[in-house]
Amino acid sequence: MAAANPWDPASAPNGAGLVLGHFIASGMVNQEMLNMSKETASCFVNFTRLQQITDIEAEIYQKNLEIELLKLEKDTADVVHPFFLAQKCHTLQSMNNHLEAVLKEKRSLRQRLLKPMCQENLPIEAVYHRYMVHLLELAVTFIERLETHLETIRNIPHLAANLKKMNQALAKMDILVTETEELAENILKWRKQQNEVSSCIPKILAEESYLYKHDITMPPLPFTSKVHVQTTNAK
């Protein structure tokens, strides 16, 4: 149950209420002044908001720190993460065991390397025979193409020069193709002119014979042949 407001005249009468009622009756205090005293001061509201903003900023800062830590952990996962470290340790341990085995058998390995391997057979289990057949086929193919591969490797340093020569050869080929096309066009034009001249020769000869029969002289045409000109001069 809420406690009675001692400044509210409507509540149960007490000493403060009687004094307040007397002030209201005399006009020294009015109802607006009483309502203002009931409202919460604005400064306290601002303090509360400021405290909330401070808390939110602190939470945002904390979240940003967590995000930066997660990014750093992601970037360095292959270095500091236990899973990757365990894999690296396992690999290093396997290499270490292999090196220890090599060092233990160093003397026998040295003697085996010094001993020639000719006229000896390597024992291979039956389950691996079919793989060895395929491996031998690959080895034969590789040996057949070895010289080609070596030649290709030797030509790698000269690749730029070869490409330059190839580009120059292509440019010369383009020029030759252009010249060939022009020559072909000229040949076609010359052949067309020869056909026209060949078709005109019978007409010219017929005209000459007609003029010769009727003893008619005409100025030489610009396209008449040298034989026709000489015949006219002889006449």
Side-chain angles (χ1 to χ4, degrees):
M1 182 176 181
N5 188 358
W7 306 105
D8 189 3
S11 59
N14 52 20
L18 295 174
V19 172
L20 187 59
H22 177 70
F23 286 157
I24 291 173
S26 63
M28 296 177 64
V29 178
N30 53 20
Q31 190 64 33
E32 292 180 359
M33 296 174 67
L34 294 176
N35 293 333
M36 288 177 62
S37 64
K38 293 180 181 179
E39 294 178 357
T40 307
S42 59
C43 62
F44 295 104
V45 176
N46 294 332
F47 283 142
T48 305
R49 291 178 180 175
L50 182 62
Q51 184 64 33
Q52 292 176 354
I53 292 171
T54 303
D55 296 339
I56 293 172
E57 288 178 351
E59 186 176 356
I60 292 172
Y61 180 74
Q62 184 66 28
K63 295 298 181 183
N64 289 331
L65 286 178
E66 293 178 0
I67 292 171
E68 292 295 330
L69 290 174
L70 291 175
K71 289 181 178 179
L72 183 62
E73 184 179 356
K74 180 182 178 181
D75 295 336
T76 58
D78 57 340
V79 179
V80 298
H81 199 276
F83 176 74
F84 296 102
L85 289 177
Q87 288 185 345
K88 291 181 178 180
C89 289
H90 179 70
T91 305
L92 290 174
Q93 187 65 34
S94 300
M95 293 176 62
N96 189 23
N97 295 334
H98 179 70
L99 291 175
E100 287 180 356
V102 170
L103 291 175
K104 289 180 181 178
E105 302 295 334
K106 181 174 66 174
R107 180 174 298 178
S108 61
L109 289 173
R110 183 179 297 175
Q111 292 177 356
R112 184 176 178 182
L113 291 173
L114 293 174
K115 183 180 179 181
M117 296 294 294
C118 60
Q119 297 180 356
E120 289 190 5
N121 297 324
L122 297 176
I124 299 176
E125 296 181 8
V127 292
Y128 300 117
H129 285 181
R130 57 177 180 176
Y131 301 112
M132 287 303 301
V133 172
H134 182 62
L135 182 61
L136 289 174
E137 292 177 356
L138 294 177
V140 171
T141 305
F142 176 76
I143 292 171
E144 290 177 352
R145 300 178 181 177
L146 180 60
E147 189 63 30
T148 305
H149 296 330
L150 292 176
E151 188 66 25
T152 304
I153 293 171
R154 292 192 196 101
N155 291 330
I156 287 175
H158 307 289
L159 185 61
N162 293 335
L163 288 175
K164 186 177 181 181
K165 292 180 181 179
M166 188 180 295
N167 292 330
Q168 293 176 355
L170 289 174
K172 291 181 181 179
M173 189 179 294
D174 292 336
I175 294 172
L176 291 175
V177 169
T178 304
E179 293 178 354
T180 305
E181 290 177 352
E182 292 178 356
L183 182 60
E185 291 178 358
N186 293 331
I187 291 172
L188 292 175
K189 290 180 181 178
W190 178 80
R191 185 177 294 176
K192 186 177 180 181
Q193 292 175 356
Q194 291 296 321
N195 292 331
E196 292 177 356
V197 171
S198 298
S199 62
C200 291
I201 287 175
K203 295 180 180 178
I204 295 170
L205 294 176
E207 291 177 357
E208 285 181 354
S209 62
Y210 177 79
L211 295 174
Y212 180 76
K213 288 179 181 179
H214 294 81
D215 197 13
I216 300 173
T217 58
M218 292 184 66
L221 296 174
F223 58 87
T224 55
S225 62
K226 293 182 180 180
V227 178
H228 175 68
V229 174
Q230 291 177 0
T231 307
T232 307
N233 292 333
K235 288 174 64 179

